[in-house]
Amino acid sequence: MRKTLILDYTYQGYRPEEEQIAEMAINGSGIRDTGRVLKISPNTVIKELKKRGRH
């Protein structure tokens, strides 16, 4: 069996820009808007905001 190491994901949800998500939320951007701008799923935006809220 052959294994492949992925160095650069094409789906950006695997590398969410946490700082940008938080910044957009603080500035009043909605979850859908944030996801659209960063090209990630709204579910990823929610997950990252929840993670950040626990700290």
Side-chain angles (χ1 to χ4, degrees):
M1 182 195 290
R2 195 171 164 193
K3 294 184 180 182
T4 304
L5 177 64
I6 300 173
L7 297 176
D8 187 32
Y9 289 107
T10 54
Y11 176 65
Q12 296 301 310
Y14 291 108
R15 307 175 338 157
E17 285 77 8
E18 295 176 19
E19 293 299 319
Q20 285 183 309
I21 292 171
E23 184 80 23
M24 291 180 76
I26 290 169
N27 288 322
S29 290
I31 292 168
R32 289 183 190 153
D33 291 335
T34 302
R36 191 177 315 116
V37 169
L38 299 178
K39 296 184 171 89
I40 58 176
S41 160
N43 291 332
T44 303
V45 175
I46 292 170
K47 183 177 79 174
E48 290 302 317
L49 289 172
K50 283 182 179 180
K51 249 192 340 190
R52 194 156 181 102
R54 291 184 195 144
H55 294 271

